[in-house]
Amino acid sequence: MKFSKRILPLSLAALCTCAGLSWGADTPAAPQPFGPTISAFGPGGTGFPVGKLGVLLNYQYCATDGVRNGGSEVNENVRLSKNVGVVKLRYGIIEGLDVRTATPIYDVYKKNKVTGTGEHLGWIGDTAIALHKVLLNQAKGAPFDLAVDVGLVVPTTDVSSKSVDFVGNGAWGTGGAVGLTYSTGSHRIDQEVHVYTFTEGAHDYRKPTYVRSTTAWGYAVNNYFDMGAESQFDWNGKSEKNGTSQGDSKNEWYAGPKMAFKYRPAGFAAGLAAMFPMARWYEANTPSEGFRIELKLSKTFDLL
């Protein structure tokens, strides 16, 4: 009797253990989140599959909430409403190496609230082309994904009296980036830092050297839906006009929540983020954005 009393719970424990091992073996992998939503060149330290073409569209709508100098608003004389699209292409050349492009298309409505006059500016900006090389791969045992970019900005803009020199003025540019991605379970963290500098272009204008830091956290709620948050910090040096500094450097930090929908069988994903100013500083009077709404659409095609 004592033996029976002991063998029954031991047998049940063994059965539960075996069942648990069997269930664990069939457990699907944790759902994986989509990459950054905002207009980073990224994504972070990850690469792109060989032979696949990614077509992405970033769309940003934002409106200024006044003209600022230093860290304070000085007036509300000018209001800008911006619609900015960035068409991106990515192609996996070989394992760990891909090429990517980004071309901005934009419309800016500028209204002078003192005179009541307004005008539309924009159309197409200069295109950035970069080689993206993965140095460390977390899936192969590295502590995280790490990649570097080497990039070139080429003159593709339509220079006119309606073009915005800061977006594109037919100048050449060069720069690079470092990206890091860390994944654990259903969480993903991305960090990118970009640095670019430019030659003088049309209108005798030289765009400022800029540094951009993008940070993103994503959590995959399931295989179809993500939530998270993103942050972008921009440091812009001084632009030049006719070789003279314009004294217009600026620093901007925006952050906010995001969500994403993805359908991996079709290679499709869509992300939405709302960004708000955390800190702003301007050397010269500058219209500053009170919010940014960011949309990203992504579709992958298999060319092999």
Side-chain angles (χ1 to χ4, degrees):
M1 182 66 68
K2 290 182 179 180
F3 178 77
S4 298
K5 289 181 179 179
R6 291 177 181 175
I7 196 65
L8 182 60
L10 288 173
S11 299
L12 289 174
L15 180 61
C16 290
T17 300
C18 292
L21 291 173
S22 175
W23 179 84
D26 294 332
T27 301
Q32 299 300 301
F34 186 43
T37 295
I38 56 181
S39 301
F41 208 27
T46 61
F48 204 75
V50 178
K52 291 188 180 293
L53 173 68
V55 180
L56 302 92
L57 172 64
N58 278 95
Y59 167 75
Q60 179 189 88
Y61 173 77
C62 49
T64 59
D65 61 352
V67 177
R68 302 177 73 88
N69 190 296
S72 305
E73 181 178 314
V74 293
N75 61 61
E76 297 184 357
N77 294 344
V78 176
R79 179 180 175 85
L80 303 179
S81 299
K82 303 178 184 179
N83 292 278
V84 181
V86 183
V87 180
K88 300 178 181 177
L89 300 175
R90 294 175 183 159
Y91 179 74
I93 302 172
I94 58 175
E95 184 178 359
L97 179 67
D98 61 84
V99 61
R100 50 194 62 191
T101 69
T103 304
I105 301 173
Y106 63 102
D107 174 78
V108 177
Y109 180 69
K110 180 179 180 180
K111 182 174 182 178
N112 188 316
K113 298 178 72 172
V114 175
T115 63
T117 59
E119 60 176 338
H120 283 275
L121 305 171
W123 173 227
I124 189 169
D126 293 321
T127 297
I129 304 172
L131 286 175
H132 184 79
K133 173 61 179 175
V134 175
L135 302 180
L136 296 176
N137 190 326
Q138 188 175 356
K140 295 183 177 181
F144 46 76
D145 296 306
L146 180 68
V148 295
D149 286 1
V150 178
L152 187 68
V153 178
V154 298
T156 56
T157 188
D158 180 17
V159 178
S160 71
S161 60
K162 297 295 184 180
S163 60
V164 177
D165 290 335
F166 187 81
V167 181
N169 67 330
W172 291 86
T174 185
V178 176
L180 183 151
T181 298
Y182 176 72
S183 300
T184 178
S186 295
H187 296 268
R188 169 174 169 160
I189 298 174
D190 290 274
Q191 175 63 55
E192 297 179 353
V193 178
H194 296 79
V195 182
Y196 272 79
T197 188
F198 303 89
T199 64
E200 184 179 287
H203 305 146
D204 300 312
Y205 177 81
R206 180 173 180 173
K207 292 190 286 184
T209 297
Y210 78 85
V211 178
R212 169 171 292 173
S213 174
T214 303
T215 306
W217 163 70
Y219 171 69
V221 178
N222 51 45
N223 287 323
Y224 304 99
F225 181 75
D226 298 347
M227 59 180 290
E230 302 197 10
S231 166
Q232 190 169 83
F233 174 79
D234 282 299
W235 175 88
N236 290 269
K238 301 175 182 180
S239 66
E240 294 182 5
K241 186 78 171 180
N242 295 312
T244 303
S245 171
Q246 298 301 290
D248 56 357
S249 62
K250 62 180 183 178
N251 302 320
E252 297 177 318
W253 176 27
Y254 286 77
K258 72 165 181 179
M259 60 181 180
F261 168 81
K262 70 266 188 182
Y263 186 62
R264 294 188 183 278
F268 173 79
L272 180 67
M275 308 292 286
F276 302 97
M278 300 291 108
R280 295 176 281 181
W281 183 89
Y282 304 91
E283 184 178 3
N285 285 2
T286 305
S288 180
E289 297 151 11
F291 67 89
R292 298 172 179 173
I293 301 299
E294 305 261 5
L295 173 67
K296 182 177 183 178
L297 303 176
S298 171
K299 179 70 173 74
T300 302
F301 301 89
D302 192 347
L303 300 187
L304 294 182

